[in-house]
Amino acid sequence: MGKVETRGLNVYYRGGRVHALKGVSIKIEANKITALIGPSGCGKTTFLRAINRLNELNGARTEGEVLIDGKDIYNGNIDVNLLRRRVGMVFQQPNPFPMSIYDNVAYGPRIHGIRNNKLSGIVEDSLKRAALWDEVKDRLDSSALMLSGGQQQRLCIARALAVNPEIILFDEPCSALDPISTARIEDLLRELKEDYTIVIVTHNMQQAARVSDFTAFFLMGELIEFGETTRIFERPKDKRTEDYITGRFG
Amino acid sequence: MEAMKAKVGERVIKACMCVIALISVAVLLTVVGYIFFYGMHAISPGFLLKSPDYTALDRGGILPQIIGSLCLLGVCLLFAVPLGIASGIYLAEYATENVITKSVRFFVECLAGIPSIVIGLFGLIFLVYYLGFGPSLLSGGLALGFMILPWTVRASEEAIKAVPDSYREASLALGASKWQTVRGVVLKSAYPGIITGILLGAGKAIGEAAVILLTTGGLVTYLPHSLLDDVGALPVYIYMVLTVVPASRAVAESYAFGASLVLISIFMLISVFAMSLRNRYVRRMSVIRG
Amino acid sequence: MNALEHVRDVKFEFKRMGLGKEKIIEKLLLISALASILIVFFIIAFMLKESIPALALGWDFLFGMRWQPSHNQFGILPIVVTTFVVGLGALVIAAGIGIPTAIYLAEFSPAWLRNVIKPSVEMLVGIPSVVLGFFGLMVLVVFIRDSFGGYGECILAGWIILAIMTLPHVISISEDSIRAVPVSYREASLALGATQLETIRRVVLPNARSGILASLILGMGNAVGETMAVLMVIGNPEIPWIPHSVLEPVRVLTSTIVLEYSYVVWGSMHQHALFAIGVVLFVIVSILNLVTTVAVKGRFGITTVIKGVWKQ
Ligand SMILES: Nc1ncnc2c1ncn2[C@@H]1O[C@H](COP(=O)(O)OP(=O)(O)OP(=O)(O)O)[C@@H](O)[C@H]1O
Ligand SMILES: [Mg+2]
């Protein structure tokens, strides 16, 4: 049993006029990094946001099943807020809140009722995990918006870690970053994999090849091919996958 | 030749515009400068710290008016700010576009368009007589609150709408509920904008005479001790001292200058504060949006 | 593992707010939003209730030529006419001075000058009207009396004071809307060989029209509804008449209310007539707002101001 499993997942936008995901069935393993690749508009973000039910915000309709630890999260009895605590997300553009660095990380635990005396420990540990602690430990009270783009993104990772999620979704986390920041985040991903299940969207084939254990290739809302990254990159079964990863496509 | 003529014509028109611009700015500055100049002569510590003595004006001061104006502003804000922010939150965060929101926006717009004297009349009949608050701090403050409510509503709504969706998504993705998101992230980011709108409203309220004239008593020589006490206000004092008080004209004018100076100073303080906050906010928003 | 190990052990104590509480909050917010509607309804209801006896006079009230409460005569036509005369005149002056100023600031003025002028003008938006009235009384009225004779307190004084009051609004909003016209439009026109002035006249102003118009209507609404500034400089004769010259003292709707409410006999026709004047004011201003909404697409009034605040 995978950590996350979808069965016949369909997502529609705008009252059914846009069919963004078409019958996607996939099993995502625990404590592995799964990369989602595919041309722009193929539904990668939509797939990620189906896992923490964030699609609901833009009026999307979801059909099929999404199971986490075998439980359907679209079942009416699920507490969405608890679900989202378990499934963290890091967005394409770094989006720290306009507050201090400390408050950014403490925001999540506070929301979930953690009291002040435990907070500073959680903040420190999360920042350390996100490899940001040494850079900011002397200025936790300064505004998060003063950080560089790469630091902001690591802050967002720390913020997601602070609520102790089981799964973390990364939506092109490095697309706004320079190569050095990107490398740091890739190192981070490899470390985090020990404790978390990671799903990452990327447009960068090398990145997918470098960091991921499994790769899923999407095209126009369909899951074309899914398997171990080495296999996908060395012996793609589908012609379209091969075209895409060799750059002969879109 | 033709081109030359056109060039000259352009220059002339441009020069005219420059002159008009300078005139209009000069006029505005003259008004303020005039009040400051004569007001400085009228102001003394006694004037600021004593109560008016309408029988012998030259011995009195305007302390109850200063305090009264601030109290009225306080009551007004206590009413209009929570209500305005709550409405703004509802319109920006919760409401779907439907009949209710459309009519709320329409009526807010309506309320903003109602002349202040009509608000004053309404305050007189509804607050003073019908609800029996009498001419009082409460009546005056609430009537002012009705007047600036549209400003607090619309400013809150606009400021909240300007908060990028990415903040909301980040908060929700951490498992926050909608209200936690609104309170913890949205309002935190929108508050400079909201405060700017509130200050604009406060500037209107502090200088408003017609509403207060109709809903409070007028010539007051004491400080208010309760919400139902009568209360003095600077704008009303300026008007009254010139029209009602039987004293020498010169003294009345000097006192009106003094009160005008105090009033305009409070107004400008609020105004400058609002503008600097706005500038900071606009700058921050442009940083956020890249 | 390493540092975060013990965080894993932290048992999150979920003190989640129940869905019930969220629903209650939403309801409370909705009720707050409805408060504005309620207030407007109350205003309309109470104003109508108090003014119906006077409105019932019908023609005699709206088109009666004589306002003399002591003789039970409540015709407001002269007052309505002067209200429009005062408001329109002020608007013409404010537009005549304000729009060129706005154009100059937006198109020609050096940046440093604009950075001085714009904030100082904006600071004066909403300057307390009673202070302006006082200024008018001390300076303008005296000046008019000395140079043109008469009382000094007259239509002309009202025009000028109201124009000064409207000016910051007109300048600030017009300038914003002129600057909002994309640079590419200007460049396209200039590239075709048009001069700067032609470009402004044919490209910039037509595109900025709705903003400028909004500022004017807003100004008109303010002018008609304005009380203290006008009250203090227009003279307010005991029995109003339709004036023949700009140097005659007059009365407007707002000043009539302020001058007479304090000695009115409660429950008398006089009181009802004063409230009816309030209703007439309300209607006039609402019509002005409606006209703009229809004439220029989009919402105006307060929205324009508040959106203008965020532009820059
Ligand atoms: N809120 C929305 N409303 C309507 N259509 C949407 C919405 N979000 C996405 N779509 C559509 O759904 C499809 C999938 O979009 P999605 O954002 O998942 O693509 P993506 O693979 O993440 O693309 P990219 O690589 O550019 O981020 C696209 O055709 C897009 O236009
Ligand atoms: Mg995407």
Side-chain angles (χ1 to χ4, degrees):
Chain A
M1 187 182 70
K3 179 78 181 168
V4 181
E5 190 176 343
T6 71
R7 293 186 190 147
L9 177 64
N10 283 294
V11 178
Y12 305 86
Y13 287 114
R14 304 212 278 145
R17 265 173 289 168
V18 179
H19 193 172
L21 283 183
K22 300 168 188 164
V24 174
S25 300
I26 197 172
K27 261 190 198 157
I28 291 168
E29 296 297 327
N31 294 58
K32 293 279 187 283
I33 298 181
T34 304
L36 310 181
I37 60 172
S40 186
C42 67
K44 306 179 295 291
T45 299
T46 305
F47 179 79
L48 272 198
R49 291 163 64 104
I51 302 175
N52 62 356
R53 289 181 59 172
L54 220 50
N55 275 333
E56 292 168 14
L57 297 182
N58 344 331
R61 183 160 54 86
T62 308
E63 285 170 2
E65 286 175 46
V66 179
L67 311 175
I68 292 182
D69 291 337
K71 271 225 224 76
D72 185 4
I73 60 167
Y74 281 88
N75 181 311
N77 293 328
I78 289 281
D79 180 340
V80 190
N81 301 314
L82 284 186
L83 165 75
R84 291 184 186 146
R85 210 269 307 153
R86 294 174 61 200
V87 185
M89 184 156 190
V90 176
F91 297 81
Q92 180 167 1
Q93 289 291 332
N95 56 355
F97 300 131
M99 320 168 179
S100 70
I101 294 170
Y102 183 94
D103 286 339
N104 260 280
V105 184
Y107 180 84
R110 280 195 182 123
I111 284 291
H112 293 292
I114 299 278
R115 277 183 227 99
N116 272 327
N117 51 12
K118 289 188 195 149
L119 275 179
S120 53
I122 295 180
V123 170
E124 182 176 339
D125 289 339
S126 308
L127 285 169
K128 280 185 176 151
R129 260 249 137 155
L132 188 60
W133 175 251
D134 291 331
E135 287 157 69
V136 302
K137 63 174 181 243
D138 302 322
R139 46 170 175 155
L140 291 176
D141 286 332
S142 64
S143 167
L145 301 182
M146 309 299 276
L147 298 173
S148 74
Q151 289 172 325
Q152 286 189 4
Q153 195 61 301
R154 275 178 281 147
L155 178 65
C156 292
I157 294 174
R159 182 175 67 186
L161 294 178
V163 291
N164 196 24
E166 297 156 33
I167 302 159
I168 310 180
L169 313 171
F170 289 85
D171 192 354
E172 298 182 49
C174 304
S175 69
L177 306 183
D178 63 285
I180 295 176
S181 303
T182 301
R184 300 204 60 162
I185 292 200
E186 286 179 11
D187 291 341
L188 198 55
L189 288 174
R190 284 188 208 98
E191 265 177 48
L192 293 176
K193 149 174 126 170
E194 310 275 338
D195 296 306
Y196 307 91
T197 304
I198 290 174
V199 186
I200 176 172
V201 170
T202 175
H203 270 289
N204 180 331
M205 290 310 111
Q206 287 81 32
Q207 185 171 60
R210 278 195 301 265
V211 300
S212 70
D213 305 302
F214 293 91
T215 297
F217 172 59
F218 284 78
L219 191 60
M220 302 190 32
E222 282 176 77
L223 176 62
I224 303 296
E225 197 169 348
F226 175 59
E228 286 189 28
T229 300
T230 42
R231 210 260 310 142
I232 292 268
F233 277 83
E234 282 159 20
R235 286 164 281 114
K237 286 187 191 134
D238 198 291
K239 179 84 172 61
R240 291 166 292 181
T241 315
E242 187 181 346
D243 286 349
Y244 184 72
I245 53 184
T246 52
R248 257 174 283 158
F249 188 100
Chain B
M1 201 55 220
E2 277 299 300
M4 273 293 278
K5 249 192 206 157
K7 273 263 160 58
V8 173
E10 291 239 327
R11 294 265 286 276
V12 170
I13 294 178
K14 239 162 110 170
C16 285
M17 281 193 191
C18 179
V19 170
I20 293 176
L22 291 181
I23 288 177
S24 61
V25 174
V27 167
L28 293 172
L29 294 184
T30 305
V31 176
V32 178
Y34 179 83
I35 299 291
F36 266 86
F37 181 76
Y38 285 97
M40 292 307 278
H41 291 289
I43 281 191
S44 64
F47 181 67
L48 294 177
L49 296 175
K50 278 197 283 189
S51 291
D53 182 342
Y54 290 110
T55 53
L57 206 54
D58 50 340
R59 276 181 305 192
I62 55 167
L63 184 66
Q65 278 65 33
I66 298 176
I67 303 289
S69 267
L70 296 177
C71 288
L72 282 165
L73 185 60
V75 173
C76 155
L77 293 179
L78 272 181
F79 170 80
V81 169
L83 205 55
I85 295 180
S87 310
I89 294 175
Y90 185 79
L91 290 177
E93 291 287 328
Y94 286 86
T96 44
E97 283 300 318
N98 60 20
V99 188
I100 296 181
T101 46
K102 283 214 181 86
S103 41
V104 169
R105 288 208 184 86
F106 176 78
F107 279 98
V108 166
E109 212 72 15
C110 241
L111 190 54
I114 297 179
S116 61
I117 186 81
V118 175
I119 306 252
L121 279 177
F122 170 67
L124 178 65
I125 189 72
F126 182 64
L127 300 170
V128 175
Y129 286 99
Y130 187 78
L131 294 181
F133 294 157
S136 62
L137 175 55
L138 186 60
S139 301
L142 283 180
L144 285 178
F146 298 156
M147 189 182 82
I148 72 159
L149 181 62
W151 295 83
T152 56
V153 174
R154 298 288 294 129
S156 308
E157 188 188 349
E158 289 302 324
I160 289 172
K161 276 187 177 159
V163 175
D165 268 343
S166 64
Y167 289 179
R168 297 186 181 86
E169 292 192 342
S171 169
L172 290 170
L174 287 168
S177 69
K178 179 145 192 167
W179 174 242
Q180 285 173 324
T181 301
V182 168
R183 217 188 38 183
V185 176
V186 176
L187 286 184
K188 272 224 173 73
S189 330
Y191 86 91
I194 297 177
I195 291 179
T196 307
I198 291 170
L199 288 174
L200 288 176
K204 261 175 95 72
I206 197 88
E208 178 56 45
V211 169
I212 305 175
L213 201 58
L214 268 63
T215 50
T216 67
L219 295 170
V220 171
T221 54
Y222 47 84
L223 300 176
H225 292 291
S226 84
L227 278 176
L228 294 177
D229 264 2
D230 203 352
V231 62
L234 288 166
V236 173
Y237 175 86
I238 296 168
Y239 171 65
M240 289 279 194
V241 92
L242 288 168
T243 54
V244 185
V245 176
S248 92
R249 180 78 185 184
V251 175
E253 278 168 9
S254 142
Y255 275 59
F257 273 121
S260 293
L261 175 55
V262 174
L263 179 58
I264 236 180
S265 305
I266 298 177
F267 170 77
M268 285 195 161
L269 257 165
I270 295 176
S271 222
V272 167
F273 190 34
M275 265 165 41
S276 62
L277 207 62
R278 190 245 346 238
N279 290 345
R280 250 188 41 202
Y281 178 71
V282 169
R283 223 175 307 131
R284 195 167 89 182
M285 276 305 172
S286 59
V287 169
I288 289 166
R289 299 228 174 88
Chain C
M1 262 289 294
N2 51 22
L4 215 66
E5 196 86 344
H6 80 262
V7 177
R8 287 244 143 174
D9 302 332
V10 173
K11 288 281 167 284
F12 280 86
E13 304 141 43
F14 290 107
K15 291 189 299 189
R16 294 217 56 86
M17 189 152 61
L19 272 180
K21 200 165 163 196
E22 292 264 330
K23 278 268 175 304
I24 291 173
I25 286 172
E26 187 174 343
K27 285 276 168 331
L28 285 177
L29 294 173
L30 171 63
I31 291 170
S32 310
L34 293 179
S36 300
I37 301 186
L38 201 67
I39 291 171
V40 174
F41 268 120
F42 266 61
I43 292 177
I44 293 174
F46 272 83
M47 291 300 294
L48 279 180
K49 176 170 157 279
E50 287 302 312
S51 58
I52 277 173
L55 292 174
L57 296 177
W59 186 273
D60 287 341
F61 174 71
L62 286 175
F63 299 100
M65 285 300 291
R66 200 167 175 83
W67 174 269
Q68 201 174 0
S70 52
H71 290 64
N72 255 330
Q73 284 184 303
F74 300 102
I76 59 166
L77 188 61
I79 311 180
V80 173
V81 171
T82 35
T83 300
F84 273 107
V85 170
V86 171
L88 275 174
L91 194 63
V92 169
I93 299 176
I97 298 181
I99 295 176
T101 304
I103 297 174
Y104 180 78
L105 287 182
E107 299 284 328
F108 300 120
S109 87
W112 65 267
L113 189 62
R114 182 182 176 274
N115 290 341
V116 174
I117 292 181
K118 190 84 198 293
S120 43
V121 167
E122 281 185 342
M123 211 163 62
L124 294 177
V125 171
I127 185 169
S129 62
V130 69
V131 172
L132 273 180
F134 178 47
F135 172 82
L137 190 64
M138 299 301 295
V139 178
L140 215 55
V141 167
V142 174
F143 173 76
I144 292 174
R145 188 162 52 217
D146 292 350
S147 11
F148 302 108
Y151 297 96
E153 302 186 342
C154 61
I155 296 185
L156 184 59
W159 280 355
I160 297 175
I161 279 303
L162 275 182
I164 294 178
M165 206 177 115
T166 323
L167 210 47
H169 264 131
V170 173
I171 296 176
S172 160
I173 299 178
S174 303
E175 205 255 5
D176 283 343
S177 50
I178 292 171
R179 282 169 70 88
V181 176
V183 179
S184 58
Y185 290 19
R186 276 168 248 241
E187 284 170 350
S189 166
L190 291 171
L192 289 173
T195 65
Q196 205 176 0
L197 269 182
E198 280 168 348
T199 304
I200 291 172
R201 198 158 56 96
R202 295 186 195 283
V203 179
V204 177
L205 289 186
N207 279 294
R209 195 187 52 211
S210 59
I212 295 174
L213 212 59
S215 77
L216 292 180
I217 301 280
L218 196 69
M220 181 77 185
N222 282 353
V224 169
E226 171 50 38
T227 312
M228 301 316 284
V230 212
L231 168 66
M232 291 166 83
V233 298
I234 55 168
N236 301 295
E238 185 67 38
I239 302 170
W241 66 87
I242 295 181
H244 300 287
S245 113
V246 295
L247 295 177
E248 285 175 31
V250 291
R251 254 180 198 232
V252 290
L253 293 167
T254 51
S255 67
T256 305
I257 297 176
V258 171
L259 289 172
E260 298 184 3
Y261 88 95
S262 56
Y263 65 81
V264 85
V265 178
W266 208 252
S268 68
M269 184 57 92
H270 188 190
Q271 182 235 321
H272 297 309
L274 289 185
F275 275 83
I277 289 181
V279 171
V280 170
L281 256 179
F282 187 9
V283 170
I284 292 175
V285 173
S286 301
I287 290 175
L288 281 177
N289 285 343
L290 212 68
V291 167
T292 7
T293 320
V294 176
V296 203
K297 289 211 180 64
R299 288 175 311 137
F300 282 104
I302 185 176
T303 309
T304 324
V305 180
I306 287 183
K307 292 228 163 110
V309 166
W310 307 125
K311 250 183 233 152
Q312 286 287 296

